[in-house]
Amino acid sequence: MNPSRIFILRPVATSLLMIAILIVGLLAYLRLPLSALPEVAYPTIQIQTFYPGASPEVMTSAITAPLEKQFGQMPGLGQMSSTSSAGASVITLQFDLSLDIDIAEQEVQAAISAAQNLVPQDLPAPPIYAKVNPADAPVITLGITSKVMPLTEVEDLVDTRVAQKISQLKGVGVVSISGGQRPAVRVLVNAQALAAYGLNLDDLRTTINVANQNGPKGTFDGPTRAYAINANDQLKSAEEYGNIVVAYRNTSPVRLHDVARLLASAENTKLGGWMNTTPALLLNVQRQPGANVIEVVDTISHLLPELRASLPAGVDLAVLTDRTTTIRASIADVEFELTLAVALVVLVIFLFLRNIRRP
């Protein structure tokens, strides 16, 4: 029996079947996930440790080596690489594909806890770890520049106005700012003036740490009322830091501006970002797992005019990189191939039916 005979003798049923298959295919096509890489949970974890002021040699011997010794004892570890730079240590751990990423995360956390006694105790923060996935590369990068405002002030605007609004969009996962322009007050000590007052660097460091704290001050308790002492000791500008009393000499206060020069600058002056040849802040946007990458980028693009209007005059916001360019090109090629395949199939069927109907 010829299988095609059934469809040839029933053209209406065949047409309805083909229409149903076409509708199902269109619905499936519209629901296809879009991504540059497949959704694979790569068992890779990155550990970062910051120790300001330490040289790369100190970072290697005091932090990277002890942590690597602990991490090397973990089962399922396939590859370990590390980078030690001034004030920072980055260790990347790649596990076997058969190991679940959550189990690997628990092992890393246990190894970090076991190495606490081996690393310096005066670290500003313990080592931090994060899951790393090559598919989590930024889908779009925005560049923010300004010719009239310092980038330290622009970063505060970007963090509070731009990054917050973008992070609220559907499908947006992580929004991070890079460029090394986090505002800070830098203290340039005059060694001769410091020695003249009989002080040292430890005295300055201790005094600054104690002065810049916002903690409980206590209460006034009375027979009928009680008042909480509300005083904020946090310092926000270089002028306020300069008025800190470091010591008393001859019944006169020695203030910080007497022995040092204070500048409102960036937290790390050795970091920076550029958009082409212009210093800039870089806003990297990552999507949520499973989110349609093109829809996420289109939503951000539609929001850009509103974001530009919320920034002061003189601050420019532009798209630096768009990862969907190649994805859109691939989709266009797929759509062309599908259209061509459908046209060829229809043409073959038409010619086949035409030959059958000939006497």
Side-chain angles (χ1 to χ4, degrees), residues 185-194 197 199 204 207-208 211 235 237-247 252-263:
V185 175
R186 305 186 65 84
V187 181
L188 306 179
V189 180
N190 187 338
Q192 296 180 351
L194 197 66
Y197 287 108
L199 302 173
L204 294 184
T207 303
I208 293 173
L235 307 177
S237 64
E239 292 75 13
E240 294 178 351
Y241 275 92
N243 293 325
I244 295 177
V245 177
V246 180
S252 299
V254 178
R255 302 188 182 275
L256 186 59
H257 61 70
D258 296 329
V259 295
R261 186 163 58 95
L262 296 100
L263 301 175

Side-chain angles (χ1 to χ4, degrees), residues 1-19 21 349 352-353 356-357:
M1 181 177 179
N2 190 358
S4 60
R5 181 179 179 84
I6 300 174
F7 300 98
I8 295 174
L9 296 178
R10 295 173 175 82
V12 176
T14 303
S15 301
L16 294 177
L17 180 61
M18 292 298 102
I19 293 174
I21 295 176
I349 294 175
F352 176 75
L353 294 177
I356 290 178
R357 292 178 180 177

Side-chain angles (χ1 to χ4, degrees), residues 36-340:
L37 295 175
E39 292 294 334
V40 180
Y42 296 91
T44 305
I45 296 179
Q46 189 177 81
I47 300 92
Q48 296 180 339
T49 309
F50 299 100
Y51 196 17
S55 63
E57 292 78 10
V58 174
M59 295 297 300
T60 301
S61 60
I63 296 178
T64 304
L67 290 177
E68 286 182 340
K69 184 178 180 181
Q70 293 294 326
F71 295 146
Q73 303 174 9
M74 293 187 301
L77 180 63
Q79 183 179 356
M80 178 170 55
S81 60
S82 62
T83 302
S84 298
S85 58
S89 169
V90 179
I91 302 176
T92 303
L93 307 177
Q94 183 176 351
F95 297 86
D96 297 334
L97 290 175
S98 58
L99 183 64
D100 187 77
I101 187 64
D102 295 327
I103 298 177
E105 182 180 1
Q106 295 176 3
E107 294 180 356
V108 170
Q109 186 176 7
I112 292 176
S113 300
Q116 289 297 322
N117 296 329
L118 303 177
V119 298
Q121 300 300 314
D122 58 343
L123 288 176
I128 56 177
Y129 63 90
K131 302 176 185 178
V132 179
N133 191 341
D136 291 337
V139 296
I140 188 172
T141 301
L142 305 178
I144 300 94
T145 60
S146 177
K147 297 181 180 179
V148 297
M149 294 177 61
L151 290 181
T152 53
E153 297 181 9
V154 175
E155 173 153 350
D156 184 57
L157 296 174
V158 173
D159 189 20
T160 56
R161 299 186 185 182
V162 180
Q164 295 296 329
K165 290 185 178 180
I166 293 179
S167 62
Q168 297 173 1
L169 297 178
K170 180 181 178 181
V172 174
V174 179
V175 180
S176 59
I177 303 175
S178 58
Q181 297 298 323
R182 182 178 298 177
V185 175
R186 305 186 65 84
V187 181
L188 306 179
V189 180
N190 187 338
Q192 296 180 351
L194 197 66
Y197 287 108
L199 302 173
N200 53 47
L201 293 178
D202 288 336
D203 295 333
L204 294 184
R205 182 177 61 181
T206 303
T207 303
I208 293 173
N209 290 335
V210 173
N212 189 22
Q213 292 182 358
N214 185 21
K217 306 299 186 298
T219 59
F220 291 120
D221 294 325
T224 58
R225 295 181 181 179
Y227 295 93
I229 302 176
N230 186 11
N232 190 347
D233 291 339
Q234 286 186 317
L235 307 177
K236 300 180 180 180
S237 64
E239 292 75 13
E240 294 178 351
Y241 275 92
N243 293 325
I244 295 177
V245 177
V246 180
Y248 285 90
R249 295 293 183 268
N250 299 325
T251 67
S252 299
V254 178
R255 302 188 182 275
L256 186 59
H257 61 70
D258 296 329
V259 295
R261 186 163 58 95
L262 296 100
L263 301 175
S265 181
E267 187 178 85
N268 191 341
T269 57
K270 295 180 175 60
L271 295 178
W274 280 265
M275 186 173 69
N276 297 326
T277 58
T278 305
L281 295 174
L282 307 180
L283 192 67
N284 302 309
V285 182
Q286 298 176 350
R287 67 182 180 93
Q288 293 179 351
N292 189 311
V293 60
I294 291 183
E295 290 183 358
V296 173
V297 173
D298 289 342
T299 304
I300 296 174
S301 299
H302 294 157
L303 185 64
L304 288 182
E306 180 181 346
L307 295 177
R308 292 190 179 97
S310 65
L311 295 175
V315 179
D316 299 325
L317 175 63
V319 177
L320 187 57
T321 61
D322 186 353
R323 202 178 183 207
T324 62
T325 303
T326 56
I327 299 177
R328 295 177 193 272
S330 299
I331 293 175
D333 290 340
V334 171
E335 292 175 346
F336 174 76
E337 296 293 338
L338 288 175
T339 304
L340 182 61

